[in-house]
Amino acid sequence: MSIAPIRLEPLKAHCSSCNLRELCLPVGLSHDQIGRLDELVSTRKSLTRGDSLFRTGDEFHSLYAVRTGFFKTCVTLEDGRDQVTGFQMSGELLGLDGIGSSRHACDAVALEDSSVCIIPYQQLESLSLELVELQRVFHKIMSREIVRDHGVMLLLGSMRAEERLAAFLLNLTQRLHSRGFSQRALILRMSREEIGSYLGLKLETVSRTFSRLQSDGILEVKQREIKILDPDALKGLVNNPC
Amino acid sequence: MSIAPIRLEPLKAHCSSCNLRELCLPVGLSHDQIGRLDELVSTRKSLTRGDSLFRTGDEFHSLYAVRTGFFKTCVTLEDGRDQVTGFQMSGELLGLDGIGSSRHACDAVALEDSSVCIIPYQQLESLSLELVELQRVFHKIMSREIVRDHGVMLLLGSMRAEERLAAFLLNLTQRLHSRGFSQRALILRMSREEIGSYLGLKLETVSRTFSRLQSDGILEVKQREIKILDPDALKGLVNNPC
DNA sequence: CGCGAGCTTGATGCCGATCAATGCATGTGG
DNA sequence: CCACATGCATTGATCGGCATCAAGCTCGCG
C-alpha cells in the first residue's frame, strides 16, 4: 500500500508565529508589522544535505531565511579553487549577494537537511517603502554583513592558524548560544576542509590545530563533536600575535 | 594685506551638476529624482592627507561619497594589528559599516588631500521611502560591497602573493579607467605597507613582488608610479594556482 | 646638505603546505 | 555478520613561500 506524502511544498510560513523572529528579518518589528511580512514570506523550501539553494550566476529573485539546518556560501575561481565565505544558521539571511547584479554571486549549499523561508525580493522592496522599520532593519542586516566580512578579512589577513580557529569556534558558539545552545559544546556541521577553506588554511592544518588545542587541554575533540574545556584560554588565543 | 579665504565650509554640493553622478549614489536616477537628492546632500567636507573621516566607535550619522582624493578603511585589533579593508576613490561610498550598530566599525583615512559629500543617513532613509529607485540603487551599492568583500576573502584565503598583487593592480586600474584614467599607468596613493595590509602580506613581500614583476617585463615600477607593460601577462597571473 | 620616511634587497628561519600513510566511522553487498 | 569500499580525520616527514631581521638606497624637504 502506498504512503501519502508527509510534506507538501510550498508550505505556508508565518513570521508572526515563528520562534526565530527575534533573530531574523522581523527583529524589532511590531506585531502588526510582522503581520504585513506574513503576506510576503509565504512559502518555504526544504533541502537535503548537499543541495544547492542557489548557484553563482543564477537569476536573483528572492532572499532566503534559514529556518532549520545549516548552510555554507562559497565563491569559486575559474581554476576550481574556492573559498567558503560564510556559514549560516537559523535566522540568518542568504542571497544578499544577488541584489547588486540581479544574479547570485556565490553558491549556497545545505550542510545538513535544512529548510528556508523564501522572501521575494521585489515584494520586500515594496513593503520596505511602507514600513520604515522594515527598511531600517534590512539596512542594518546588510551593514552587519559588511562588518562581519571585514572581520573575516582581518582574520585572513593577519591572524595565525591557532588564532583563526579559536576565533572561528568562539564565533560559532556565540551564535549557537543566542539560539539556545550550549556555550561549551557544539557539533560541527562542516568538514575540516570547509573549515580550512573559510579560514584560509589546509584541512591538515585545521586537524593539527584541533589536536594541539586538545593536547593543551583547551578543547576536547571527537571528530565533529567539540567541547570547550577552557573558554578563557580559547579567548586568550585571539588577539595574541605570538 | 590679508587675503580672503578661498573656500568656506560647509560648501554646497549638488548631485545634479556633479560629474560623478554616474559612478555614485545617483546612478540611474532621473533628473527630477537627483534634484530630490540635492536637498539632502547639501554639504561637503575637505580633508588633508592623513585626516580621519571617522574612526571606529564614532557615532554614525552620515554616509560619505568621495568627491576627490583617495581613502583607506581599516579595522584594528586590540593588540594593534590592523587590516586595511578597502581603498575608496571618487564616487565611492564610505560609512556603510556604521548602519548596523549606529557606530562606525572601522577607520576611514584620507590618503591624500580629499573632499567628500556628506549624506545624512536619516534623510537618506526618508527619501528612500519616497523614491523606490533610490532605495533600489542603495541596496545595490550595499550588495556590491558584500560581493566585493567576498572577492577579497577569496584573494586572502587562496591566492599567492604574486596573484594577489596582480589582482589588486587590475582592480585599481579598472576602477581608475572607468573614471577616465589610463588602463596602463597609475600612481599608487598608498604605501607598500598599506598595500601589504590589504593583501595580507608584509611590505617587504609587496616590494619584492613588484620587483619580480618588473624584472619579468610585466610592470615598470618607479616608487609609486606603476606602468603596466604587459596587461595580458598580468591578467594571466590571476587564477593560476602555480 | 643632512635628515628621515619609505622603499629595496639580502640572509635566514618558521609556519603552514604538501605528500603520504594510517586510522576511524559509516554503509553496502555477499 | 563479516568483508570491503568510501569518505573523512589524524599524524608524520619534508618542503617552500612568506615573514623576519638587517642593511643600504632613494627621494623629498627643512
Side-chain angles (χ1 to χ4, degrees), chain B residues 60-88:
Chain B
F60 168 73
H61 295 114
S62 303
L63 300 174
Y64 305 91
V66 181
R67 193 181 172 81
T68 61
F70 212 90
F71 288 80
K72 70 171 177 182
T73 49
C74 52
V75 291
T76 305
L77 233 42
E78 295 77 56
D79 60 29
R81 280 179 294 175
D82 68 347
Q83 173 77 21
V84 172
T85 54
F87 297 107
Q88 294 79 23

Side-chain angles (χ1 to χ4, degrees), chain A:
Chain A
M1 108 188 190
S2 70
I3 299 191
I6 298 172
R7 302 196 289 197
L8 286 168
E9 298 193 39
L11 290 171
K12 274 296 182 189
H14 289 291
C15 293
S16 48
S17 61
C18 178
N19 57 13
L20 291 167
R21 64 183 179 279
E22 288 306 315
L23 290 164
C24 192
L25 188 58
V27 64
L29 300 190
S30 72
H31 181 75
D32 289 352
Q33 289 161 349
I34 298 183
R36 300 293 308 279
L37 256 191
D38 282 347
E39 301 165 17
L40 174 167
V41 183
S42 57
T43 59
R44 66 190 198 200
K45 181 179 159 86
S46 293
L47 298 95
T48 59
R49 180 186 154 91
D51 284 354
S52 289
L53 181 58
F54 54 79
R55 290 176 210 264
T56 304
D58 285 356
E59 268 194 46
F60 167 75
H61 295 115
S62 303
L63 301 174
Y64 305 91
V66 181
R67 195 181 171 83
T68 61
F70 211 91
F71 288 81
K72 70 170 176 181
T73 49
C74 51
V75 291
T76 305
L77 233 42
E78 295 76 54
D79 60 29
R81 281 178 294 174
D82 68 347
Q83 172 77 22
V84 172
T85 54
F87 297 107
Q88 294 79 24
M89 56 181 75
S90 58
E92 296 176 335
L93 288 194
L94 284 159
L96 297 173
D97 54 278
I99 298 171
S101 66
S102 302
R103 294 197 172 270
H104 284 289
C106 65
D107 298 355
V109 180
L111 295 181
E112 58 180 348
D113 294 356
S114 301
S115 66
V116 297
C117 299
I118 300 176
I119 307 171
Y121 179 65
Q122 292 224 357
Q123 293 177 48
L124 181 66
E125 266 191 338
S126 304
L127 192 57
S128 294
L129 293 175
E130 287 184 56
L131 302 180
V132 61
E133 293 84 359
L134 178 61
Q135 190 192 57
R136 186 166 297 148
V137 73
F138 184 57
H139 289 176
K140 278 175 186 272
I141 287 172
M142 295 200 91
S143 171
R144 288 199 194 108
E145 177 68 19
I146 291 170
V147 172
R148 187 193 72 81
D149 291 346
H150 288 177
V152 177
M153 288 165 63
L154 176 62
L155 179 147
L156 291 170
S158 53
M159 289 187 182
R160 325 160 75 284
E162 206 171 57
E163 238 181 317
R164 295 186 196 190
L165 192 62
F168 170 69
L169 288 176
L170 290 169
N171 175 276
L172 270 188
T173 49
Q174 182 225 313
R175 284 153 68 200
L176 287 167
H177 186 57
S178 68
R179 283 160 181 78
F181 295 98
S182 169
Q183 282 180 304
R184 298 296 194 93
L186 70 161
I187 295 177
L188 300 173
R189 303 301 174 179
M190 69 294 282
S191 68
R192 299 291 189 258
E193 184 165 20
E194 286 161 336
I195 297 172
S197 173
Y198 182 61
L199 298 179
L201 302 168
K202 291 289 147 183
L203 70 94
E204 295 96 328
T205 303
V206 173
S207 181
R208 270 184 250 273
T209 307
F210 269 129
S211 299
R212 184 161 357 112
L213 294 181
Q214 177 161 242
S215 67
D216 290 350
I218 297 176
L219 297 181
E220 184 183 317
V221 183
K222 269 194 270 185
Q223 304 282 118
R224 297 191 178 188
E225 292 171 42
I226 310 288
K227 276 212 185 76
I228 299 176
L229 304 177
D230 189 344
D232 291 334
L234 195 63
K235 284 168 199 144
L237 290 178
V238 299
N239 297 359
N240 270 321
C242 301

Side-chain angles (χ1 to χ4, degrees), chain B residues 76-114:
Chain B
T76 305
L77 233 42
E78 295 77 56
D79 60 29
R81 280 179 294 175
D82 68 347
Q83 173 77 21
V84 172
T85 54
F87 297 107
Q88 294 79 23
M89 55 181 75
S90 58
E92 296 177 336
L93 287 195
L94 283 159
L96 298 173
D97 54 279
I99 298 171
S101 64
S102 302
R103 294 196 173 270
H104 284 288
C106 65
D107 299 354
V109 180
L111 295 180
E112 58 180 348
D113 294 354
S114 302

